[in-house]
Amino acid sequence: MTAEKLASESHSSQRREMTGAEMVVQALIDQGVTDIFGYPGGAVLPIYDELFQQDRINHILVRHEQGAGHAAEGYARSTGKVGVMLVTSGPGATNAVTPLQDALMDSIPLVCISGQVPTSLIGSDAFQECDTVGITRPCTKHNWLVKDVNDLARVLHEAFHVAKTGRPGPVLVDVPKDVQFATGIYTPPEVSPRTSYHPRIQGDIEAIKQAVALMLTAKRPVIYSGGGVINSGNEASKLLRELVELTNFPITSTLMGLGAYPASGKNWLGMLGMHGTYEANMTMHDCDVMVNIGARFDDRITGRISGFSPNSKKIHIDIDPSSINKAVRVDVPVIGDVAHVLEDMIRLIRASSTKPDEKAMGAWWSQIDKWRSRKSLSYTRNKDVIMPQYALERLYALTKDRDTYITTEVGQHQMWAAQFYHFEKPNRWMTSGGLGTMGYGLPAALGVQIAHPDSLVIDIAGDASVQMNMQEMSAAVQYEAPIKIFILNNQYMGMVRQWQQLLHGNRLSHSYTEALPDFVKLAEAYGGHGIRCEKPGDLDDAIQEMIDVKKPVLFDCRVANLANCFPMIPSGKAHNEMLLPDEATDDAVANAIDAKGRQLV
Amino acid sequence: MNAQNLASGSAYFIAKETELPVTTVLSVLVDNEPGVLARVIGLFSGRGYNIESLTVSETEHEQHLSRITIVTRGTPHILDQIRHQLERIVPVHRVVDLSVRADELGQSGPIQRELALVKVAGLGEHRNEALRLADAFHAKVSDATTEHFIFEITGKGSKIDQFIAIMKPLGLVEICRTGVAAMNRGPRGM
């Protein structure tokens, strides 16, 4: 970097007079933002005018504000940085609600900057006015309406601080148009000027000691890790691997936590929960000490609470005190950042004279091996029809040695992806877990590809979900983002249908899509590349073609229409009451859930 | 959703509550900034918690701090959740469960006071009786004509309830109550 450029940069982050719109761009630069996702409109035009006159911030024009949000989420999850979206007032802001809630539930750091009608018009039902801070208050970690240009820089910096610290989450800054035009003093970033917000990072050492003592006397331990490990950063994943190595404990993970521990690791049990493996769920059910690291006992994980791991002592590491004892009562809560707590934990374990009980661990592992031999993910192959599981096995085999990132939509394909695509590293898996947002995967893939232009980015999609944000194909083509949309097309909303079979007497109410688009033609219409594959024998070549094409691809993978996703813990059942694929006859499926379970979701 | 889930204040597979609900008083110290009250009450409505009484006013003008006093009801587990959820709100400085604190201090409960304005209109014996009873309750007459009184009464909620019940047959017209202000006994602050 030249001395001149350095000087101009140091100048740029000093206090100086500028317009509100300039401040927005300057704050983004000072926060290290390089890419943002957005859509212009009347109330953000001054900011767009500033964007036009600079080249430090790369703006990606999406086709719908929801797409901007999910793209920013994908960007954030795959980089560990804060995702940024820029939207206009009114419909721009309301379209941002879904990704904001999605980011809130999955703890994704996101900053949404929204335009607002001029302050003098707020409350007058002006054109494209809505109560943005009111609407987004429950779906953000915090939000601000900035009425004075002299507060704008401070608020923007605070917004980034709140989004990325503690339990990360989405924030929104609403900037009225007159504030964007007004001139004020820009202030550079400072460390949290707020006195009220102090997320706890370091774990209480006494609690950690207690946890370690419990772990070292365990006879049937299990580690249950979650998205918190990934959010904590690469160091946390490294420490998690070290902890597993050190203790030889079996480890399972939630949907959000996949990749923190490598799927090829010998202690890996696979994902747990509603569509988790038999070995993971049985290990959870029968364990005597459970170590929850950065997960939140979500209802998709626990099954029936009263039957959830009934005989275990539970340790829970979480940065958010409200996660402790929310769904499941725990014995040893440790509040803090995963990496910090694991570091202390590993140090204490190394220093301890007590070592894990090898004999008990041997017996525990042989029990686990018996559960593993049940092969709960097995399915019957078919030489005429592509089984969805087979499609994902082949996709994995042909992409695992590449620099690959996977996103998904929501439904059966998502669960199959979690079961059959194996992750070795964190930040490689982007999926909508908490909110379950159909339409997440395609724009998220766009966001990932913008962050990693040379990587292979694949959205494992379903034919129903993918249509919810299909318009972002147009953005992908515009930015030459060669995302690969791998559609497991069974013409059904498969998960909806599966539940109708389980709960509603096989009455398939509106879960069949009568008129699907021709995805190949659709890809071509957007200027991308379309592939259709109908036979298992053609699959490998077709996947290879998808990888080789340097364009956005819609891959219409025609799979067995009626395949269902197993194993499964039906609603209202416990971990040891799983429905396994070979037991899932039509009768068993129809009667799997009793009247009480039917009321649950 | 069934009744047990409703009662637990959360959704889905929450185990049946075996604990009994109790009433408690929360003191919440917050930055007095736009929207802060909406955040607090939005949390209660959004998560299905109860608010039995709510009082809010700026208490430290220089620091722009407001103190919100909330009387709520739930099982100890839910009350714990409410406290933690409140602490997550960015402009919240501190949350103290005054009832739990009183227990820790070996006291019967926090001091709770409410102020009420009670308008009573009437003539003759009813009017005299109202005045006599107001005197017995140490209520002050804040406004009067030959046809009405406005009584100002301060005390525990139960005392005010009782006063209002007695005034009903004597020509009660309207009531305004402030909600509970509360603090723990002893020299320590929240």
Side-chain angles (χ1 to χ4, degrees):
Chain A
M1 198 178 281
T2 64
E4 237 175 64
K5 202 167 172 197
L6 266 174
S8 83
E9 264 185 15
S10 64
H11 172 72
S12 70
S13 60
Q14 296 307 308
R15 287 173 64 93
R16 66 185 171 95
E17 206 175 63
M18 59 176 86
T19 66
E22 279 178 275
M23 283 183 194
V24 170
V25 174
Q26 189 60 56
L28 293 176
I29 291 169
D30 285 350
Q31 289 291 338
V33 174
T34 51
D35 305 279
I36 66 172
F37 302 87
Y39 203 100
V44 276
L45 285 179
I47 298 172
Y48 271 86
D49 197 36
E50 285 305 320
L51 285 171
F52 187 81
Q53 300 177 49
Q54 56 84 48
D55 55 5
R56 304 276 294 274
I57 306 280
N58 176 33
H59 176 273
I60 308 297
L61 174 67
V62 294
R63 301 297 184 263
H64 185 290
E65 288 86 354
Q66 187 188 354
H70 295 318
E73 283 187 273
Y75 186 92
R77 259 205 94 91
S78 67
T79 57
K81 297 202 288 190
V82 178
V84 181
M85 66 189 293
L86 174 60
V87 300
T88 192
S89 63
T94 55
N95 282 342
V97 166
T98 301
L100 289 172
Q101 179 67 20
D102 192 273
L104 186 71
M105 293 196 77
D106 287 345
S107 307
I108 311 296
L110 198 65
V111 172
C112 177
I113 298 167
S114 55
Q116 181 57 279
V117 301
T119 40
S120 57
L121 290 181
I122 289 179
S124 71
D125 299 322
F127 178 63
Q128 293 197 326
E129 182 189 356
C130 72
D131 175 9
T132 302
V133 285
I135 289 169
T136 59
R137 198 174 287 130
C139 62
T140 51
K141 187 173 168 185
H142 195 60
N143 62 11
W144 296 260
L145 168 64
V146 182
K147 287 185 166 174
D148 181 346
V149 69
N150 289 305
D151 291 334
L152 183 57
R154 176 184 57 78
V155 167
L156 287 166
H157 297 313
E158 195 175 307
F160 275 87
H161 177 69
V162 170
K164 67 189 174 191
T165 53
R167 181 176 178 174
V171 298
L172 178 140
V173 182
D174 202 24
V175 191
K177 196 169 179 180
D178 56 325
V179 174
Q180 298 170 33
F181 277 127
T183 306
I185 299 295
Y186 177 82
T187 49
E190 288 167 57
V191 185
S192 176
R194 229 180 217 293
T195 50
S196 64
Y197 172 74
H198 302 286
R200 193 140 158 212
I201 304 300
Q202 202 74 41
D204 172 27
I205 198 73
E206 287 310 312
I208 299 173
K209 278 183 186 161
Q210 233 182 317
V212 165
L214 201 54
M215 286 163 73
L216 291 177
T217 51
K219 295 194 186 310
R220 299 185 311 279
V222 65
I223 293 173
Y224 145 48
S225 72
V229 182
I230 301 196
N231 280 335
S232 177
N234 279 335
E235 187 61 18
S237 292
K238 229 178 78 194
L239 290 164
L240 178 69
R241 290 161 194 227
E242 199 178 327
L243 179 72
V244 173
E245 181 74 36
L246 187 65
T247 55
N248 195 30
F249 285 5
I251 174 166
T252 177
S253 156
T254 66
L255 183 72
M256 300 310 294
L258 296 176
Y261 183 81
S264 61
K266 70 178 173 50
N267 294 44
W268 178 239
L269 303 177
M271 181 176 77
L272 83 160
M274 187 169 272
H275 293 288
T277 65
Y278 185 66
E279 54 269 36
N281 286 334
M282 290 302 287
T283 304
M284 287 290 280
H285 186 269
D286 285 6
C287 71
D288 68 346
V289 172
M290 177 190 299
V291 191
N292 172 340
I293 307 177
R296 60 183 177 92
F297 296 109
D298 179 84
D299 55 69
R300 301 295 99 163
I301 292 300
T302 60
R304 179 163 50 86
I305 291 280
S306 59
F308 175 69
S309 193
N311 302 313
S312 62
K313 294 267 188 207
K314 298 173 185 73
I315 297 162
H316 187 181
I317 303 169
D318 204 301
I319 199 162
D320 179 358
S322 77
S323 288
I324 307 285
N325 292 332
K326 183 169 69 175
V328 168
R329 317 293 165 93
V330 297
D331 301 278
V332 184
V334 184
I335 295 160
D337 168 62
V338 167
H340 286 79
V341 173
L342 287 186
E343 203 181 345
D344 286 340
M345 207 168 227
I346 288 168
R347 199 185 57 245
L348 288 170
I349 291 174
R350 286 198 196 284
S352 170
S353 52
T354 323
K355 296 289 161 209
D357 181 343
E358 271 187 35
K359 199 171 147 219
M361 288 293 286
W364 183 225
W365 272 111
S366 53
Q367 175 60 59
I368 291 170
D369 285 338
K370 275 184 209 147
W371 289 326
R372 274 177 169 163
S373 68
R374 193 71 179 69
K375 299 211 176 303
S376 60
L377 296 180
S378 58
Y379 64 94
T380 313
R381 281 201 197 171
N382 188 310
K383 65 176 172 29
D384 299 320
V385 182
I386 302 173
M387 294 304 288
Q389 298 95 328
Y390 177 73
L392 291 178
E393 278 182 341
R394 294 318 302 159
L395 182 72
Y396 174 65
L398 294 168
T399 58
K400 65 179 172 155
D401 296 325
R402 292 168 178 270
D403 178 23
T404 309
Y405 291 82
I406 301 289
T407 71
T408 76
E409 310 289 338
V410 169
Q412 285 183 326
H413 67 274
Q414 178 191 29
M415 292 298 110
W416 280 317
Q419 291 170 341
F420 290 91
Y421 206 98
H422 306 295
F423 295 92
E424 298 297 312
K425 293 183 199 164
N427 304 100
R428 296 284 167 154
W429 164 245
M430 276 50 64
T431 193
S432 171
L435 193 62
T437 310
M438 291 171 73
Y440 168 88
L442 199 158
L446 171 66
V448 175
Q449 190 82 73
I450 295 299
H452 309 275
D454 301 321
S455 304
L456 176 61
V457 183
I458 304 170
D459 169 29
I460 297 174
D463 52 279
S465 285
V466 77
Q467 294 189 77
M468 285 205 177
N469 273 319
M470 181 58 88
Q471 76 285 348
E472 301 310 333
M473 272 298 280
S474 177
V477 169
Q478 178 175 342
Y479 294 97
E480 296 176 1
I483 54 174
K484 320 294 185 191
I485 313 303
F486 190 73
I487 306 167
L488 296 179
N489 182 354
N490 63 2
Q491 300 171 62
Y492 279 97
M493 290 156 222
M495 195 58 97
V496 171
R497 187 202 60 215
Q498 181 165 344
W499 282 68
Q500 288 171 335
Q501 290 171 305
L502 280 160
L503 294 165
H504 298 284
N506 206 23
R507 289 180 296 280
L508 307 186
S509 180
H510 300 275
S511 53
Y512 181 72
T513 314
E514 291 277 349
L516 280 173
D518 178 330
F519 287 114
V520 174
K521 282 189 183 156
L522 189 56
E524 285 161 3
Y526 277 117
H529 183 76
I531 300 173
R532 179 171 298 115
C533 184
E534 290 170 289
K535 295 277 169 250
D538 301 336
L539 191 57
D540 279 20
D541 286 346
I543 291 173
Q544 196 55 51
E545 181 188 339
M546 174 184 87
I547 295 167
D548 293 339
V549 173
K550 299 290 172 238
K551 269 186 180 185
V553 175
L554 285 184
F555 188 119
D556 183 8
C557 186
R558 294 301 183 100
V559 296
N561 279 9
L562 295 174
N564 275 341
C565 190
F566 293 105
M568 177 176 187
I569 305 175
S571 281
K573 302 278 185 183
H575 277 173
N576 60 345
E577 301 171 293
M578 296 190 83
L579 205 55
L580 291 161
D582 47 353
E583 294 165 348
T585 60
D586 289 351
D587 261 5
V589 168
N591 298 313
I593 300 180
D594 56 20
K596 223 172 138 198
R598 263 176 249 265
Q599 296 175 18
L600 303 167
V601 175
Chain B
M1 200 187 276
N2 54 27
Q4 93 190 26
N5 285 343
L6 281 175
S8 68
S10 184
Y12 300 6
F13 310 116
I14 299 295
K16 197 176 165 194
E17 279 296 346
T18 47
E19 296 174 309
L20 290 172
V22 292
T23 300
T24 200
V25 186
L26 298 172
S27 254
V28 189
L29 204 61
V30 300
D31 284 324
N32 184 14
E33 59 179 38
V36 67
L37 185 60
R39 287 179 211 283
V40 170
I41 59 176
L43 187 148
F44 276 76
S45 64
R47 293 187 183 265
Y49 307 140
N50 301 308
I51 296 181
E52 296 191 348
S53 163
L54 176 74
T55 309
V56 51
S57 188
E58 188 170 89
T59 49
E60 290 171 55
H61 297 302
E62 271 164 32
Q63 294 165 270
H64 299 291
L65 290 177
S66 287
R67 180 156 162 162
I68 302 176
T69 307
I70 303 168
V71 180
T72 183
R73 194 170 167 76
T75 62
H77 167 231
I78 292 296
L79 296 178
D80 220 35
Q81 260 298 302
I82 295 176
R83 195 163 53 79
H84 288 311
Q85 293 290 355
L86 284 169
E87 282 168 348
R88 281 175 68 173
I89 298 175
V90 169
V92 166
H93 285 254
R94 297 194 56 205
V95 184
V96 175
D97 186 325
L98 298 181
S99 305
V100 169
R101 174 68 67 80
D103 274 355
E104 287 165 5
L105 295 169
Q107 298 166 354
S108 61
I111 295 186
Q112 299 180 44
R113 291 292 180 268
E114 220 183 319
L115 185 144
L117 297 174
V118 180
K119 186 180 287 182
V120 179
L123 299 165
E125 191 44 41
H126 276 175
R127 183 174 160 80
N128 294 338
E129 184 62 17
L131 195 58
R132 268 197 298 278
L133 283 162
D135 193 42
F137 274 81
H138 300 293
K140 244 170 63 185
V141 175
S142 293
D143 180 50
T145 63
T146 51
E147 289 161 36
H148 89 287
F149 291 116
I150 294 176
F151 297 118
E152 178 189 320
I153 178 169
T154 312
K156 285 189 202 167
S158 56
K159 176 182 162 187
I160 292 169
D161 288 344
Q162 205 187 350
F163 183 68
I164 290 166
I166 289 172
M167 287 298 145
K168 216 166 223 171
L170 301 178
L172 182 69
V173 177
E174 63 174 331
I175 310 154
C176 181
R177 298 172 70 151
T178 57
V180 173
M183 109 179 4
N184 280 118
R185 292 169 194 276
R188 259 182 69 198
M190 79 174 268

